[in-house]
Amino acid sequence: MSTGRAIEAVTQTLRSLLGQVAAQVTARPPDQAREAGTGGAQLNLFLYDVAPNPAWRNLEPPARSAGGALHPPLALDLSYLLTAYGDTQDEAPAHRLLGEAMQLLHDGAVLTRAKLSGVLAAAGVHLQPERVRLTPVHLGIDEQSKLWSGFQTNYRLSVAYRASVVLIDALTPADAPLPVLRRGRLPLDALGQDQGVPVSVGAAPRVDRLTVSAWRGNPSFPARTGDGLAVDGAGLAGGRVRARFDHPRLPAPLWADAAAGSTAERVLLPVPPALPAGVATVTLAIGPPEGPVITSNSLPLAVAVRLGPPALGAVGATTVRVRVPCDRLLVKDQPVLLLVGGAQLRPTAPVRPGAVPSFDVPRTLPARTPLTLRLRVDGIDSVPLSEPAADQTKPLPTAFDPAQQVVLP
């Protein structure tokens, strides 16, 4: 594809074409087009704007779409101002020259490979997959006035053209992976060909709602270790049903089989103990492990930690060291905050896997005042309420759990 000299190649190609109607074709700013001592018929081609091409800006080159990590080319539109000068003070010869130049560019609106390679083949513009096309652009009185006044020179009759599109290849080479040897499962068929990608006929499963069963389907409560999940939707049967739990802090997803009592409209799932706190996504996969497997859409799942009994540590004049254990293993550098008494406290030391975080709680309230603790991990707060009753007919708890409170001396 094109190199960094692509802009120069297009400009030089246009100058070469315009040389058929004028002996003198320059590429100067408007205020320097007619240098002192020069005269005669002249065409001046000035590049006044370079803009990204919106159609090609995010389009990958088709020849590289199978490579993996891709980098699109730099796609540009070049805007030129074409001005004609006569050999006398009369403007009529300049008008004739401008008309002939416009006629020439109208007939050669597409810059062919031969034209581009004949002027500057090293630029490689003739090798790009898209042709460079010339389009006349109307500049209003206001635009022309700003353009000419910016060069502090007298206005002359001009016409604008846009050359689109010029593709400049990236300097970073694309990856070159090995070819795919087969698709689908083994064994091969009688002719030694692969079986292709397995497909199945029917509507894909749809997941509409994901809630924690213990909280009666209240979506404001996060999931915790030991909780059961209820996934409501449609088409959630037809084979083995598994759930894939993805988390940005996991190197690989976690899998869990559907629990007993699942139906085509509701799938019951356990919360994997190894799922870190934060925001995960849940996707259902239906079908045998050897395939074909149909996957549903994904829904977010808020995962919180369960707090253990807090322990008091060193007592200072203004703060008290409090250790707050939790059931879920914290990931290295995972953001952790302790919410207590309206304050958000950072741990006294960086979070390390397996370590119990400690916090310096300020002594701003009277002594022996119980303080309810909440641990915010990756943006998800622990639930400071008592455990809900197993009996679904009983109301949800509305009081804070004393086991998640601390009393400062």
Side-chain angles (χ1 to χ4, degrees):
M1 204 178 292
S2 308
T3 67
R5 302 187 65 183
I7 299 177
E8 176 194 2
V10 174
T11 302
Q12 296 292 12
T13 302
L14 293 177
R15 290 184 63 179
S16 177
L17 290 175
L18 294 173
Q20 301 177 33
V21 297
Q24 185 178 189
V25 181
T26 56
R28 303 169 182 166
D31 60 330
Q32 302 176 17
R34 298 289 270 187
E35 293 182 344
T38 61
Q42 175 188 350
L43 288 173
N44 187 66
L45 186 69
F46 173 62
L47 178 62
Y48 70 90
D49 185 52
V50 177
N53 181 274
W56 277 80
R57 190 170 190 175
N58 296 315
L59 184 64
E60 303 290 355
R64 295 188 180 180
S65 58
L70 302 176
H71 190 37
L74 176 61
L76 302 175
D77 291 341
L78 311 181
S79 297
Y80 290 92
L81 189 70
L82 180 62
T83 309
Y85 299 87
D87 53 359
T88 65
Q89 295 296 329
D90 191 358
E91 286 294 307
H95 295 172
R96 175 188 60 81
L97 187 60
L98 183 62
E100 292 177 352
M102 294 180 66
Q103 182 184 33
L104 179 68
L105 295 181
H106 178 74
D107 291 342
V110 178
L111 301 184
T112 63
R113 296 182 187 272
K115 294 176 183 177
L116 291 166
S117 62
V119 175
L120 188 58
V125 184
H126 61 289
L127 300 177
Q128 69 178 33
E130 186 76 11
R131 299 277 62 82
V132 180
R133 299 176 181 270
L134 289 177
T135 306
V137 179
H138 172 67
L139 296 181
I141 298 298
D142 184 57
E143 293 177 279
Q144 293 193 51
S145 175
K146 291 180 179 178
L147 184 60
W148 284 91
S149 62
F151 291 96
Q152 298 182 358
T153 187
N154 295 329
Y155 167 77
R156 291 191 64 88
L157 181 62
S158 305
V159 63
Y161 282 89
R162 177 176 294 118
S164 178
V165 57
V166 177
L167 303 177
I168 300 179
D169 202 5
L171 293 176
T172 304
D175 294 337
L178 293 173
V180 177
L181 297 180
R182 65 177 180 86
R183 302 168 302 154
R185 307 183 307 276
L186 291 174
L188 304 179
D189 61 15
L191 298 178
Q193 299 175 344
D194 61 61
Q195 301 181 25
V197 179
V199 297
S200 60
V201 180
R206 186 186 76 247
V207 173
D208 300 325
R209 193 164 178 255
L210 176 61
T211 54
V212 180
S213 302
W215 297 106
R216 320 288 198 268
N218 191 325
S220 60
F221 288 95
R224 300 171 299 172
T225 303
D227 285 339
L229 302 177
V231 184
D232 298 314
L236 307 181
R240 181 186 179 188
V241 180
R242 297 186 301 160
R244 188 186 73 217
F245 294 83
D246 294 282
H247 195 284
R249 297 189 181 275
L250 285 177
L254 301 176
W255 292 86
D257 289 319
S262 299
T263 65
E265 289 75 31
R266 168 169 285 194
V267 174
L268 304 179
L269 299 169
V271 177
L275 188 63
V279 179
T281 57
V282 180
T283 308
L284 294 184
I286 302 175
E290 64 274 9
V293 175
I294 306 176
T295 58
S296 70
N297 56 304
S298 302
L299 289 183
L301 173 67
V303 183
V305 298
R306 289 180 185 268
L307 299 189
L312 297 181
V315 179
T318 58
T319 61
V320 177
R321 180 70 54 88
V322 177
R323 300 175 74 251
V324 184
C326 57
D327 65 332
R328 204 167 288 276
L329 185 66
L330 300 179
V331 183
K332 182 181 179 181
D333 298 328
Q334 197 170 19
V336 177
L337 293 174
L338 180 67
L339 311 184
V340 54
Q344 301 182 15
L345 306 179
R346 299 184 181 277
T348 57
V351 173
R352 292 182 291 106
V356 177
S358 59
F359 306 85
D360 288 336
V361 180
R363 305 174 65 179
T364 57
L365 296 177
R368 314 306 302 173
T369 300
L371 298 177
T372 300
L373 306 180
R374 287 177 296 160
L375 205 60
R376 176 175 295 174
V377 182
D378 256 349
I380 305 300
D381 298 349
S382 62
V383 181
L385 304 178
S386 303
E387 290 297 316
D391 187 354
Q392 298 285 323
T393 61
K394 294 185 178 180
L396 292 174
T398 57
F400 293 120
D401 185 5
Q404 302 183 54
Q405 293 179 338
V406 65
V407 178
L408 301 183

